Amino acid sequence: MPVSETKYIWFNGKFIEWNEAKIHVLTHTLHYGSGVFEGIRCYKTPKGPAIFRLRDHIERLFRSAKAIKIEIPYTIDTLSDAVAETVKVNNLDECYIRPIVFRGYGEMGLNPLGSPVEVAIAVWPWGAYLGEESLKRGVKVKLSPYTRIPKKAFPPNVKVTGIYVNSILAKIDAVMDGYDEALMLDENGFIAEGPGENIFIVKNEVLYTPPDDSTILLGITRDSIIKIAENLGYKVEKVNVDKDMLYNADEAFFTGTATEVAPICEVDGRRIGDGKPGKLTIKLQQEYLKIVRGENLDYEFWLTYVNR
């Protein structure tokens, strides 16, 4: 999806013009992929723009950095404030937020420890990642020939730039075959996740999602949906999900910051349920969107208001 330019980017502690946010061609992370990032959303609410689970996202950014030996030269509070200020100076009611931490220009080779650590935060208007219609009609998914990177190869619960090549290959393969999205298996043949989304299936009004200790990213939207579903009285089980469970599910859906809650209506040409977005999926999607838009104050603690 194209990026809509905004006015300012927060870059290494100060705001600069969008088109001035440049790096050297020999930036270490550009060559070796050793950067970390987050995807966050800000929504329009009755009390003004509000960022959803900001602190949780920034804390995960720091965990990701620690996992690949990057020391971020700012505190969690400083970056959290910087995110809110970046939304504010760009005068946006709703937007996608991309903080990124990367090793800059200064060293080349596989020992990056002498490279400077750079930090940037960009914001821009961005609709649902799989398209606005995906929230209504659902998506068609292909089981990918590309396996989700195993835990022994890389820590799966971090958002590191380089490992998203795995996701890119799965995405391209699915799109070129006429599907909306891919779905990757782990090395043992269990369902892992989409290229940029977690997955849930529903059977007899019980939700199933892969375990926390599997090869998935511990998604913040995933965690939100688990809490919302349990608070609504539904049972959620974290179990290994195989292909038969998926094919025979009553409903299935993706979750993610960019994706939000997107119904899955078809996998490998097989209809899930009746081939339409399921009732529980729609209920959770609607509840989630109410929460992020400040229409359910029971979850207001998840919101950081920009103008306060």
Side-chain angles (χ1 to χ4, degrees):
M1 297 173 67
V3 176
S4 299
E5 291 187 14
T6 53
K7 192 169 183 180
Y8 297 110
I9 287 176
W10 190 94
F11 196 26
N12 292 331
K14 62 182 180 180
F15 289 110
I16 61 175
E17 299 274 346
W18 178 281
N19 290 324
E20 295 303 313
K22 300 175 182 178
I23 60 172
H24 196 279
V25 71
L26 293 182
T27 293
H28 192 277
T29 292
L30 177 63
H31 292 258
Y32 299 110
S34 61
V36 298
F37 70 98
E38 274 298 320
I40 314 172
R41 276 196 186 271
C42 176
Y43 290 88
K44 184 178 181 179
T45 78
K47 296 182 181 179
I51 302 166
F52 185 64
R53 297 192 67 171
L54 172 58
R55 182 85 181 190
D56 295 313
H57 280 284
I58 299 302
E59 287 178 351
R60 187 172 64 181
L61 181 73
F62 274 75
R63 290 196 299 273
S64 296
K66 184 177 181 180
I68 63 169
K69 315 299 183 187
I70 288 180
E71 186 173 343
I72 298 177
Y74 302 97
T75 66
I76 292 173
D77 286 340
T78 296
L79 287 191
S80 297
D81 290 344
V83 167
E85 283 300 312
T86 306
V87 175
K88 189 173 183 177
V89 300
N90 283 288
N91 197 30
L92 294 171
D93 289 326
E94 292 195 329
C95 61
Y96 182 80
I97 303 164
R98 171 53 55 87
I100 184 168
V101 180
F102 60 96
R103 291 181 168 117
Y105 170 62
E107 294 284 337
M108 194 53 66
L110 295 180
N111 181 355
L113 298 180
S115 299
V117 175
E118 314 256 21
V119 183
I121 303 166
V123 301
W124 66 91
W126 207 22
Y129 174 65
L130 296 176
E132 295 299 330
E133 282 301 308
S134 70
L135 301 179
K136 301 175 184 177
R137 63 170 173 79
V139 294
K140 296 180 180 180
V141 173
K142 175 189 177 182
L143 289 181
S144 180
Y146 294 98
T147 301
R148 169 74 171 160
I149 294 176
K151 292 196 296 185
K152 290 183 179 179
F154 204 90
N157 294 325
V158 296
K159 289 180 72 70
V160 174
T161 58
I163 64 173
Y164 274 80
V165 174
N166 182 224
S167 295
I168 288 169
L169 291 172
K171 179 72 173 186
I172 291 173
D173 174 76
V175 170
M176 290 183 69
D177 274 359
Y179 292 86
D180 299 305
E181 189 57 293
L183 183 58
M184 291 185 286
L185 306 179
D186 66 19
E187 60 183 327
N188 298 311
F190 292 112
I191 303 298
E193 61 182 20
E197 311 93 352
N198 293 119
I199 186 172
F200 289 81
I201 69 167
V202 179
K203 189 69 176 180
N204 298 325
E205 294 198 336
V206 176
L207 284 81
Y208 300 91
T209 192
D212 290 355
D213 62 354
S214 62
T215 61
I216 66 169
L217 179 74
L218 294 179
I220 290 170
T221 309
R222 170 182 177 268
D223 177 70
S224 302
I225 290 297
I226 290 171
K227 289 179 169 64
I228 293 166
E230 290 177 337
N231 288 342
L232 289 172
Y234 294 99
K235 185 177 181 180
V236 181
E237 293 192 8
K238 299 176 181 179
V239 297
N240 287 321
V241 177
D242 61 28
K243 289 186 285 187
D244 286 339
M245 290 174 66
L246 174 62
Y247 292 148
N248 292 298
D250 299 327
E251 307 176 32
F253 59 91
F254 280 133
T255 62
T257 293
T259 308
E260 297 173 319
V261 180
I264 298 171
C265 294
E266 183 181 303
V267 178
D268 286 347
R270 297 172 170 86
R271 292 194 307 176
I272 301 298
D274 63 2
K276 299 177 182 179
K279 291 182 180 179
L280 181 51
T281 300
I282 293 171
K283 183 175 184 177
L284 291 170
Q285 179 195 83
Q286 291 175 342
E287 190 64 28
Y288 176 78
L289 292 176
K290 286 180 183 177
I291 290 167
V292 299
R293 291 170 180 160
E295 297 170 9
N296 183 343
L297 297 183
D298 289 341
Y299 294 87
E300 193 175 26
F301 59 91
W302 276 345
L303 302 180
T304 299
Y305 293 103
V306 170
N307 295 325
R308 285 188 176 176

